[in-house]
Amino acid sequence: MVRAVTFLGASCVGKTSVFELLKKDRSFDWFDKIDGITRQLVKEGRIEPSFTSVQNQKLIFDKYAELLNTDCYVSDRGIIDVHTFTKTIPASIQRDVELKRQLDFINVSEYFLPVIFYFPIYWEVESDGERMADAERRKCWDAEIRKFLMERRLSYEVVPNDTPFNRLKFIKSVLSTRMNLG
């Protein structure tokens, strides 16, 4: 039985486009839709926009970690995204301490991880002023995600390079084998 679903992937890989379609799909009515946690933290003034702040990563990770205590949600990111992104921040004692904290939490919470849909990089980064547009760091992030999934031997589904509509159709077909999703 599927209790939760998360989209996993670097920036500009199509997660948000699919998520926006999913929010309108009646098949997912009984799921809480969790998106924009980082944007919400910025809006609330709890973090400043930054792609290098370890403190931001700590707060973002903790918000996604709270989700693991709930059922029936789908999120556009999760703790694996945050952890692997933290690994792309330049090395420092602060970063290494936070990475250890995150990994310790993941180790004791791995059983509660949601169904994972991994969105690989299929196209170039789109610079929109909001998302990280550093193509090399984005590739590094994607490599960290794949490494994490493989080293942990986590079960995940690779979302194909297709239109957002067809990607959602793929996600629904995978979930339909695990639950009664119309």
Side-chain angles (χ1 to χ4, degrees):
M1 175 67 173
V2 173
R3 56 174 218 75
V5 176
T6 192
F7 293 174
L8 174 64
S11 58
C12 302
V13 293
K15 294 182 309 297
T16 301
S17 296
V18 174
F19 197 83
E20 290 302 315
L21 287 174
L22 180 145
K23 289 193 302 191
K24 298 172 187 169
D25 191 308
R26 305 243 343 144
S27 304
F28 293 91
D29 279 354
W30 63 281
F31 282 96
D32 288 331
K33 284 68 164 196
I34 313 297
D35 65 334
I37 285 179
T38 302
R39 288 181 187 104
Q40 187 62 35
L41 290 172
V42 169
K43 186 177 171 184
E44 293 170 358
R46 295 184 56 203
I47 64 174
E48 293 291 322
S50 170
F51 298 119
T52 58
S53 169
V54 174
Q55 183 60 30
N56 281 6
Q57 291 303 105
K58 180 182 183 328
L59 292 171
I60 296 165
F61 183 90
D62 290 348
K63 289 300 280 183
Y64 281 108
E66 290 173 13
L67 292 178
L68 298 182
N69 296 320
T70 62
D71 285 334
C72 300
Y73 72 88
V74 59
S75 67
D76 68 345
R77 287 213 172 276
I79 61 174
I80 296 170
D81 293 277
V82 180
H83 176 70
T84 54
F85 185 77
T86 303
K87 287 180 139 193
T88 72
I89 293 175
S92 69
I93 292 172
Q94 184 185 15
R95 184 204 73 168
D96 293 344
V97 167
E98 178 56 20
L99 282 171
K100 181 180 180 335
R101 184 187 80 90
Q102 290 175 1
L103 199 52
D104 288 346
F105 180 86
I106 291 169
N107 286 337
V108 299
S109 304
E110 200 167 287
Y111 173 79
F112 298 101
L113 290 177
V115 174
I116 298 168
F117 286 94
Y118 165 59
F119 288 67
I121 294 174
Y122 292 118
W123 51 78
E124 294 303 311
V125 68
E126 183 180 308
S127 182
D128 64 2
E130 192 170 304
R131 295 174 285 187
M132 185 185 67
D134 181 335
E136 288 307 309
R137 188 163 172 207
R138 178 176 171 249
K139 289 176 189 171
C140 179
W141 184 11
D142 183 68
E144 288 293 341
I145 290 169
R146 284 183 283 114
K147 180 180 168 187
F148 186 91
L149 292 170
M150 290 175 24
E151 286 178 352
R152 295 285 176 144
R153 293 187 173 110
L154 294 174
S155 175
Y156 63 95
E157 298 290 335
V158 177
V159 177
N161 184 11
D162 209 333
T163 66
F165 177 79
N166 285 337
R167 288 173 140 196
L168 180 59
K169 194 173 171 183
F170 167 80
I171 289 165
K172 287 172 63 171
S173 77
V174 169
L175 291 176
S176 71
T177 65
R178 299 183 188 204
M179 62 190 289
N180 185 18
L181 183 65

